[in-house]
Amino acid sequence: MGSLEGIFSGVQLAFSFQGILFVFLGVMAGTLIGMMPGLGPISAIAIMIPLTYNMDPPIALVLMAGVYYGAVFGGSTSSILLNAPGISGTVATSFDGYPMAQRGEAGKALAIAAISSFVGGTISVILLMLFAPMLSSIAIVFGPPEYFALMVLGLTAISSLADGSTIKALISAVVGMMAVTIGIDTQTGTTRFTFGNPNLLEGIDFLVVALGLFALAEVCALIINRKQTTGKNDSIGSLKLSKSDFKDMSGPMGRQSFLGFILGILPGAGATIASFIGYITEKKITKKPEEFGKGAVRGVSAPETANNAATSGAFVPLLSLGIPGSGTTAVLLGALLVMDIQPGPLLMTDQPELFWGVIVSMYIGNMFLLILNLPLIPYIAKILSIPRPMLVSLVIMFSMIGVYSISFNVFDLYLLLIFGALGYIMRLLKFPPAPFILAFILGGMMEESFRQAMTMSNNDITIFFTQPIALGMLIVGFLSFIVPILQSLRQKNKNAVE
Amino acid sequence: MKKTWLLFLALFTMIVLAACGSADSSSDEEESASGSSDENWKPDQSIEIVAPSSAGGGWDTTARMAAEGFEEEGIIDQGLGVVNKEGGGGAIGWSYVAEKSGNPHHLFVGSPPLLLVPLNGQSEYGYEDFTPLANMISDYGAFAVREDASWDNLNELFDDMKDNPDDITVIGESSPGSMDHIQFVKIAKAAGVDPKSVKYVSAQDGSTMTNLLNGNADVYSSGVTETIEQVRADKIRVLGVTSEERMEGDVVEDFPTAKEQGIDETFVNWRGFFGPPDMSEAEIAYYEEKFAELNESEHWQETREKFAWNEMYMESEEYKEFLSEEKESMQELLNELNIQGE
C-alpha cells in the first residue's frame, strides 16, 4: 500500500540538500550544547524554537529532532569528564565514566560512550522504522499501576548502587525521596514543605540536585583535598579500544538497544529510567559486578546505549499518538504545534513524507554524530589538562549557568549551593549520592502514580496485584531486592560455621 | 594560601553570576521615575512580554505571536522581547511583573490560572494586583470519552455520574482546583452533579490522553485542540465543549456545546495581556490602542486561524469587570469543593 511510497518520499526528504544540511546543523548544535554541563536537550530545543518559526515544517522537525538526540549524545561528555551530568539521562554514565577518566582513561571512556550511543541510536532507529506503527499500542499499555510498579523496580537498584553500607544508601534514598515532595502536591493542589516560599512551589529541579550533589561536591573535594590527587588524571589516555573492550561492550550494546528503546516508548519513563535500568541489568548479568562503579567498560556502555535508544523510542508516542513522553518531547510538541504540525495517529497517513523523513534523517544524524564526536574526543578530553584552579571555576560557572537557564531564577542558584554543600557533607560521611538522585528522579513519579491508581480504584490497593504487568514487575522488584540479602545472609552463616 | 585563593575565586564567580541575574531589575527602577501623567505616553525603552511558563506552551505562543505581530505590522516601533519566567503555575512570572510597579515596559500574558492559582493560595498576586490591558483571544474546554464508551452525550454521562460517582474517573492535566478540574465541575454542577462527588485525577506528566485510551480514566477534561487529532483518528469522541456557540473549523464544528444539550453553563479560557500595578491613564490608553490595532491586523487574524483561537477582544475596563465576575464564580465553585487558599 501507500506506506512504501511514504517511506520513499521520506528518504527523498532526508537525503535532499536541505535535509542533510539541517540534520548536520541540528546534531552539531545539539551535541555542542549537550556537552556543556548543565545544558541538556530541553534548553537546546528551547534555544532553537525561535529559529524555526519561519522554516519549512519537515525541515524544522528534522533540525529539532537532530538537536534533541544530538544533545543526548553529547550529554555524556560532562558526566564523564567533570562528574557534572547535564541531563538526568546521563547520571548513570557518570558512575563509571568519571572513575575511568580519573584513572587517566578519559579518551577511552568518551570513545566507549560515543560508540555505544551510536549503536544504541542506530539500532533503535531501525526498530523505529520497522515497528513504529505497531508500537504505538505499547505506548498506551502503561497506566498508573504499571508506572508505580516500574518505579518500584527502578528503586530496587538502590541496593546495587550501594557502595559499602546498605543502610547509608537507604538513608540517602529516603532523603532524596523527601526532597522530591517539596512543592505543590499534584493530586490535591496543597503546598508541601515550601515554607511559604513561592520559589519552591514547582519543587526543586532535577538539575539543581544533580549538579549540586555531583559537580559542586566534586569541586569542593578537589579544592580541599588538592594534595591527594596530583597530576595523574591529567592524561587523556589512548582512544584505542582493545579487543576485550569491544567484547565487553557488545553485550550491553546489543541488549540495551532493545531494552532502552522499549522503555523510551513508555511515556514518562524515557532516557533516565532506561539508563538506570540498563546499568542495573548489566551489573546483575555480568560476572564481575565488583568492577562496576570503579570504571567498568560495561558501566559506561550500558547507560549510554540505553539512553540513546530511549531517545528514538520517545518518538513513537510523539509521532504516532501525539503524546509527549517526557519534558523534552513536550517542548518539542509545543514547537511542532507552532509550526502547524499536529502529531497524532493520522500524521503517518496525512504527512508520510514528514513522518518518514524525520526517521530516516535520524539515521543520517547518528552517523554524523559519530563522525563529529570521535575525532573531537582528544580535544574535548584536553579539558582535563586545564590547570585545576581554572577547571574548578569553569565547572562552577557552567553549573550556575545551567541552573540559571532553567528558570532564570536566582533562588535556584542558592539551592544549588545548598545541594553542593549537602553533597560534600554526604561525601565526608560516606553517604553515596547515587541513591539520593535515583530516589529523587523516581520518587516523584512513584508517588504520583501510586495516588492516581488509588483514586481510580477507590482506595483499593489490590489494583497493583490484579494487573498482570504491574504484578510481574513488582515480583521481579521484590526478588531483586530480597535475593542479594538472602545471599549475603547465607554467606555470613557459612563464614560463621567455618 | 593557595587554597584560600581558590575558594575566593570560586566565590567570586558565584557572586558575579548571581549579580548578573538581578542586574536588569536595578536598571529598571531608574526608568520608573520618568514618564507617567503625560497626556501622550510612549515607551522609551524596549518592551518585555513575560510568558510565565516555559517555551512552547500556550502563554508563550501567545506572547511570541503578539510580539511578532507588533513588529511585523509596524504597530509598535520599540523593540519587543519575550521572556520565559516559568514556575509555580505562573506565580514566579507574576511576582516578577508585580515588582515592576510603575514601569510600564513589562507586560505578561494571563489566562484563568491567574484567578485560580491565587484562589488556591499558591500565589500572593492575583489579577487585582495588575493592570488588565486587553483580552485578545479565547479557547474552550472539551470533555472526551473513548470511542467505545457507553455515553452518547453529556446528559447520559452526568446522569450516570449522579448514580455512580465512584465508577467514573475524570482525568485532566492540571491539579485539583485548577483549570481542567474546574471547567468540568462547573458544567457538571449545572447539570445537577454534586461537585464534590467528581472523582478527578491529575496527570501532570503528559499521560492524560494515554490514560483515557487505555481505560484507566473514563473522561478527559482538556482544551479543545488537544482532542482534535484523536477524534479524527476515531479513537475518542467529544461529548461536549464549554463554548457559548458551536466553534468554527474542521472537526471542532461537530463538537456539541453543553448549552445545546440543555446545560446552561459555559467556561471560557480567555487569554489577554496585563501590565504591572499602578499604570497611568495615558499608559493604559497607549496599550489599549496598540492591542486594538493588533487585533484588527491581518497578521493576528492569520495567527488566530493557525492556532484555532477565537477572537475575544476586551479593552481594559470591560476586561476588569469580566475578571471580577469570573473570579466570583470560581470562588463559589472552589468553596463548594472545599479547596481554599491559606
Side-chain angles (χ1 to χ4, degrees), chain B residues 231-249:
Chain B
V231 169
R232 285 182 58 213
D234 284 331
K235 302 264 187 202
I236 64 171
R237 285 182 286 129
V238 169
L239 294 185
V241 292
T242 66
S243 57
E244 181 82 36
E245 285 162 16
R246 285 240 176 176
M247 298 172 71
E248 283 170 30

Side-chain angles (χ1 to χ4, degrees), chain B residues 13 37 51 54 58 86 115 120 128 172 174 177 193 225 253 263 311 321 340:
Chain B
T13 324
S37 80
S54 61
E86 64 175 300
L115 305 177
N120 286 320
E128 305 90 333
S174 59
V193 176
T225 31
E253 63 196 8
I263 304 163
E311 179 177 356
E321 267 169 48
Q340 262 155 351

Side-chain angles (χ1 to χ4, degrees), chain A residues 46 49-50 53-54 139-147 184-191 198-202 216 219 222-226 267-268 320-326 330-331 333-335 337-340 342-347 350 388-390 392-393 396-398 400-401 404 406-410 413-414 417 445 448 451-452 455-458 463 467, chain B residues 2-7 9-11 13-15 17-22 24 54-57 60-61 64-65 68 72 83-92 95 117 120-124 165-167 169 171 173-177 199-211 213-217 225-226 228-235 305-307 339:
Chain A
I49 287 180
Y53 274 142
N54 295 315
I140 63 164
V141 169
F142 270 48
E146 286 82 12
Y147 276 112
I184 298 175
D185 169 33
T186 58
Q187 297 308 300
T188 59
T190 326
T191 55
N199 292 305
L200 285 172
L201 284 176
E202 288 264 292
L216 285 198
V219 162
L222 281 179
I223 296 175
I224 294 165
N225 312 330
R226 225 162 36 89
S320 62
L321 295 172
I323 292 170
S326 65
V331 175
L333 180 67
L337 295 178
V338 172
M339 290 183 281
D340 232 357
Q342 173 69 59
L346 297 182
L347 183 73
D350 285 359
R388 195 59 65 71
M390 259 163 82
V392 162
S393 24
I396 296 173
M397 186 179 83
F398 276 113
M400 300 201 102
I401 291 175
Y404 187 68
I406 315 167
S407 56
F408 302 102
N409 189 348
V410 181
L413 295 181
Y414 296 123
L417 295 183
M445 245 178 112
E448 190 182 7
R451 289 173 57 196
Q452 285 170 343
T455 311
M456 286 170 178
S457 70
N458 299 310
I463 187 169
Q467 320 270 350
Chain B
K2 261 197 171 170
K3 196 188 285 180
T4 43
W5 183 80
L6 264 179
L7 275 172
L9 183 71
L11 257 175
T13 324
M14 291 172 196
I15 290 164
L17 274 168
C20 287
S22 50
D24 57 328
S54 61
D60 179 63
T61 316
R64 284 183 198 279
M65 287 299 140
E68 192 184 294
E72 268 182 24
V83 175
N84 296 96
K85 296 260 175 211
E86 64 175 300
I92 303 292
S95 72
V117 174
N120 286 320
Q122 291 155 2
S123 165
E124 51 175 315
D166 278 353
D167 292 347
T169 301
I171 199 161
E173 183 99 19
S174 59
S175 63
K199 194 166 102 181
Y200 176 81
V201 172
S202 155
Q204 294 170 18
D205 49 9
S207 67
T208 40
M209 183 62 85
T210 319
N211 280 314
L213 294 174
N214 67 19
N216 278 297
T225 31
E226 283 93 319
I228 295 175
E229 283 305 300
Q230 305 290 341
V231 169
R232 285 182 58 213
D234 284 331
K235 302 264 187 202
E305 278 167 21
K306 185 171 167 188
F307 293 101
I339 298 176

Side-chain angles (χ1 to χ4, degrees), chain A residues 286-346:
Chain A
T286 179
K287 292 188 189 88
K288 292 175 270 183
E290 68 280 357
E291 280 180 5
F292 272 66
K294 300 188 184 82
V297 173
R298 290 160 186 263
V300 179
S301 179
E304 274 309 296
T305 311
N307 66 22
N308 282 277
T311 308
S312 321
F315 279 88
V316 171
L318 180 71
L319 292 179
S320 62
L321 295 172
I323 292 170
S326 65
T328 315
T329 39
V331 175
L332 199 56
L333 180 67
L336 295 183
L337 295 178
V338 172
M339 290 183 281
D340 232 357
I341 304 171
Q342 173 69 59
L346 297 182

